[in-house]
Amino acid sequence: MGLLTFGACDRTVAPAPTTAPTRPRLAIVLVVDQMRADYLMRYGDLYHGGLARFRREGAWFTQGHVQHALTYTAPGHASAATGTHPSHHGIVANEWFDRERSEPTISVEDSKVQPALTAADVSGKVPGRSPRNLERRALGDWLKAHEPAARVFSVALKDRAAVLMGGKLPDRAYWYSPEMAGYVSSSWYADGAPLPAWVATFNASGAALLHFVEGWTRVRDSSAYLRSGPDRVEAEADGVRTEFPHTFDDGTPAARVAFAKGVLTTPFGDEMTLKFARALIDAERLGADDVPDLLMISCSSADYIGHAYGPFSHEIEDYYLRLDGYLGELLGYLDEHVGKDSYVVALTADHGALPLPEEARLRGHRSAERVVTREYQAQARAAISGALTRLGLPAGTLRHLGEDGVWLDARLAESAKVDPVQLRAEVAMALRKLEFVADAFTADELAEGSDDGSRPFLGRYQRSFYAPRSPDVQLRFKQWHLVDAEAHGTSHGSPYAYDTHVPVLFFGAGVRAGMHEQPVGTVDVAPTLAELLGVRRPEDLDGHSLAALVRGK
C-alpha cells in the first residue's frame, strides 16, 4: 500500500549509506510498554500534546506488529533494539528455566555484577543486572562501532527494559529501584564507575513521591471517559480499589514507603522516567555536537496499569491522556535544547494486551475465559503425568512447568530407553487435549524452521524459539483465553492481534508526515534508525529499514 499524506559481535555489516539527507544529532527510541496500536486512534481527538504531534507530524505505520509469538517485555524490547527475533537474540521470555542450574532465571539477572547505587544502605537489597544473556548487539552498539564518540543511554522503570534496550555496550542503563525510590545501574557499565552526581541529585529530589499526597484523579472531566467501559469493574486491580479517585496518603509513614514502591502502577512512574530522561540529556549533553547520540526510553507504568485495569478501563485512558502531556513536555524540551531539525524519535511497543476476559465477553467474544494459575497447573500437570505414565517414566521427568511451556529431562528418558523426541511428542499430544490449549509445539518442530502455512502461528513460535532456553513443549492457548492468570487483571504473551498489533511511528528530522498501511515489524525500528543516522548495520537482521518510506522518497 502507498503513502497517505497528511499534515506537515556481528560478523557482517551492510555498507553505510553514501549520503545522509538529514543526520540527527540525537535519536530516541520510545517504547511504551503494552501500548496497543488502537490507543493512538481511540483517544486521538483527546490528544493535544506529544501523541497529537506524533499523529500529525510522524510517519505512522498503522499495521505494525510484534512478529514473534511470546509477546513479553524482555523479548519485545530486545527485538526492537537488535532488529532480530528472539530466535536470534536469545531473550525468549522475561524468565526461563535454566537447565544447568535447575531453576528459573530472570532474563537480565547477573550475579557477577554489582548494583551501582546512590544509597549504600540498600546495597544488599538491589540485585545485579546486565545484558550478558543478550546474544546480539543492538542499535547503540552499531552506533558506537561506527562513531566511537557517540553517547548511548537507556532508561526505564523496569530493569529488563532498560538493560535489553541499551544493548551490550551503552554508556549506562538506568532503571528504578523501589528499595531506593530512585534510579540505579550496575557495574557492567562505565567500567564499574560510581553513578554520576546528577543521578544522586535527581534521586534526592523526591520525584518518586511527587503525587503522594494528591493521589491519582482523572485528568479530564468524567464525560471524556464515556468511550471506555465502566469505572467500577470487579475483575480490575485487587477487586476492591477499582474506581477513581485513587488515594495513597493515609497519614502513616508506611504509606509513603508503599507509594514509593507502588508509583510504578500510576502514570506518575512514567512522568518520573521522562523527567529523568530530560535530566540525562542535559547532564550528559546528548545531541550537543555533530556526533549522533542515542537514548532509549521505556515507559513501564503503561504495562503495570494495563495489567491491573485492562485496555478498556478509565485508568488506562487516563494514563494515555497524561502520557500525551508528558510527551508534549519532552518534545518541547527537545525542540529548545537539541533543535527541531536535529532529533528523531521512534515510537513503538513491546506487546499489547488482552482485555479482561470478563470485559471481552461483554464485547461479544463469548469464548473468553480466565484460567487461574491453580487450575492451569493442576490440569497441565495431570495431562503430563498421564503421558509419562504411558511411557513408563517417573514423575521427575517433568523438570518445570512454566506459564506457557514445559521443560523435560531428556537424559532421564534416554536412560529408560525412551526417545526424547517421542517423549516431547507424547507430552504435547496430551496437552493439546486440554480445553484451553489450542496447540502444543515440540522443540523438534520449532527447530525445523520450515512453515508451509498449514499450522496456525507456527512461524511466530519458531521466531520465539532459541534451543538453549526455550521449553521442550511450547503451548499456544486459545484466543481470548487468559491462562495461568491471577483472579483479577489481565496479561499478554500470545500471537494474537490484541497482543501483537502495536505502534510503529517515526517523528522528527528528515521524517515526512504520513500514514503507511503496509505491514511492518518492531524489528524494523533499529535498522530504520541506523539508516537515518548513517550507521552501518548487520546484514543478517530480521528487520528491514523503512527509511525510504519515512523520508517519503
Side-chain angles (χ1 to χ4, degrees):
M1 302 293 289
L3 170 70
L4 305 178
T5 60
F6 68 100
C9 105
D10 297 312
R11 293 186 298 275
T12 58
V13 296
T18 55
T19 61
T22 303
R23 180 176 157 102
R25 296 204 305 265
L26 175 63
I28 294 177
V29 176
L30 176 65
V31 180
V32 182
D33 198 321
Q34 204 189 113
M35 185 177 185
R36 292 164 45 122
D38 62 326
Y39 293 153
L40 276 175
M41 294 295 295
R42 195 193 310 168
Y43 315 128
D45 59 306
L46 299 175
Y47 294 146
H48 303 294
L51 292 176
R53 286 187 65 184
F54 285 153
R55 283 167 46 94
R56 185 174 63 250
E57 302 172 33
W60 180 3
F61 293 85
T62 60
Q63 294 301 313
H65 281 265
V66 177
Q67 295 173 331
H68 54 263
L70 302 184
T71 43
Y72 298 117
T73 295
H77 283 80
S79 291
T82 65
T84 62
H85 299 308
S87 55
H88 293 133
H89 63 61
I91 305 298
V92 296
N94 292 337
E95 64 177 53
W96 53 82
F97 183 76
D98 188 309
R99 291 180 172 89
E100 293 184 2
R101 295 165 52 196
S102 294
E103 63 182 13
T105 184
I106 296 170
S107 57
V108 294
E109 72 175 72
D110 190 348
S111 60
K112 297 179 180 179
V113 301
Q114 300 299 314
L117 312 170
T118 57
D121 59 335
V122 298
S123 59
K125 301 177 183 178
V126 180
R129 296 290 187 250
S130 86
R132 195 181 302 276
N133 288 326
L134 186 63
E135 301 294 336
R136 292 291 298 245
R137 296 191 182 274
L139 174 61
D141 303 315
W142 313 340
L143 175 59
K144 279 188 168 288
H146 187 73
E147 296 276 7
R151 305 275 282 158
V152 175
F153 293 89
S154 63
V155 58
L157 293 176
K158 292 183 181 180
D159 51 14
R160 57 185 176 271
V163 168
L164 295 170
M165 284 192 305
K168 304 293 279 188
L169 299 169
D171 292 275
R172 292 271 193 186
Y174 293 105
W175 54 94
Y176 181 76
S177 166
E179 295 82 7
M180 247 195 67
Y183 290 85
V184 302
S185 189
S186 86
S187 60
W188 176 276
Y189 307 101
D191 296 322
L195 293 183
W198 72 262
V199 177
T201 299
F202 186 92
N203 287 345
S205 70
L209 294 168
L210 182 61
H211 299 280
F212 169 63
V213 174
E214 68 188 73
W216 179 14
T217 59
R218 292 183 182 88
V219 73
R220 300 279 180 87
D221 183 87
S222 59
S223 62
Y225 299 78
L226 295 176
R227 70 193 66 196
S228 296
D231 192 19
R232 181 180 177 84
V233 178
E234 291 184 0
E236 290 180 359
D238 60 359
V240 178
R241 294 182 288 270
T242 69
E243 297 178 81
F244 278 114
H246 297 286
T247 59
F248 311 108
D249 185 3
D250 63 5
T252 66
R256 297 180 70 85
V257 176
F259 182 76
K261 295 180 179 180
V263 70
L264 289 76
T265 317
T266 75
F268 314 127
D270 285 341
E271 179 187 30
M272 177 173 58
T273 287
L274 291 169
K275 286 182 177 179
F276 185 89
R278 284 156 53 188
L280 190 158
I281 293 169
D282 185 61
E284 302 292 350
R285 303 192 73 249
L286 301 189
D289 57 31
D290 291 335
V291 177
D293 299 317
L294 175 66
L295 175 58
M296 315 284 278
I297 306 171
S298 181
C299 292
S300 308
S301 285
D303 184 67
Y304 289 108
I305 295 169
H307 274 288
Y309 299 100
F312 293 99
S313 63
H314 286 219
E315 285 81 2
I316 205 68
E317 178 178 344
D318 193 77
Y319 168 83
Y320 280 97
L321 298 184
R322 289 178 180 272
L323 180 66
D324 175 53
Y326 302 155
L327 293 178
E329 293 175 0
L330 175 64
L331 296 183
Y333 172 88
L334 293 171
D335 289 344
E336 181 179 353
H337 290 81
V338 180
K340 288 185 177 181
D341 297 323
S342 298
Y343 71 90
V344 64
V345 180
L347 170 68
T348 192
D350 52 348
H351 54 74
L354 169 70
L356 303 174
E358 299 80 4
E359 175 80 19
R361 285 197 295 271
L362 293 175
R363 291 177 178 269
H365 304 291
R366 296 183 179 180
S367 64
E369 291 289 343
R370 180 186 298 272
V371 181
V372 298
T373 298
R374 180 184 66 257
E375 295 173 2
Y376 162 66
Q377 286 275 334
Q379 292 188 46
R381 287 182 181 276
I384 296 166
S385 177
L388 297 180
T389 298
R390 288 190 292 275
L391 292 170
L393 292 172
T397 307
L398 171 59
R399 298 188 68 187
H400 182 70
L401 173 60
E403 59 186 324
D404 52 17
V406 179
W407 282 261
L408 302 164
D409 193 330
R411 286 177 294 187
L412 192 58
E414 289 173 334
S415 67
K417 309 300 182 184
V418 174
D419 185 351
V421 175
Q422 181 187 6
L423 167 64
R424 291 186 282 268
E426 289 286 340
V427 169
M429 183 170 62
L431 289 168
R432 289 188 196 108
K433 296 177 182 178
L434 297 179
E435 186 280 330
F436 49 81
V437 174
D439 204 350
F441 304 97
T442 68
D444 313 283
E445 294 167 330
L446 297 178
E448 285 180 1
S450 59
D451 177 16
D452 62 6
S454 62
R455 197 166 177 188
F457 302 103
L458 173 61
R460 287 182 176 270
Y461 280 94
Q462 288 171 334
R463 295 182 197 119
S464 279
F465 179 74
Y466 182 69
R469 296 169 185 164
S470 292
D472 293 286
V473 178
Q474 181 72 63
L475 299 175
R476 173 169 72 88
F477 300 126
K478 290 182 178 179
Q479 193 171 21
W480 305 108
H481 280 56
L482 183 62
V483 182
D484 193 20
E486 302 292 335
H488 303 92
T490 189
S491 195
H492 45 83
S494 82
Y496 305 119
Y498 48 71
D499 281 342
T500 67
H501 191 193
V502 299
V504 175
L505 186 150
F506 299 87
F507 167 93
V511 174
R512 181 183 177 188
M515 296 179 73
H516 302 265
E517 297 177 336
Q518 63 266 55
V520 300
T522 58
V523 290
D524 298 329
V525 168
T528 301
L529 285 179
E531 184 166 347
L532 294 178
L533 291 168
V535 170
R536 298 183 183 93
R537 60 189 186 276
E539 289 181 342
D540 55 348
L541 299 179
D542 296 310
H544 306 278
S545 174
L546 306 172
L549 294 170
V550 167
R551 290 170 173 153
K553 295 186 176 181

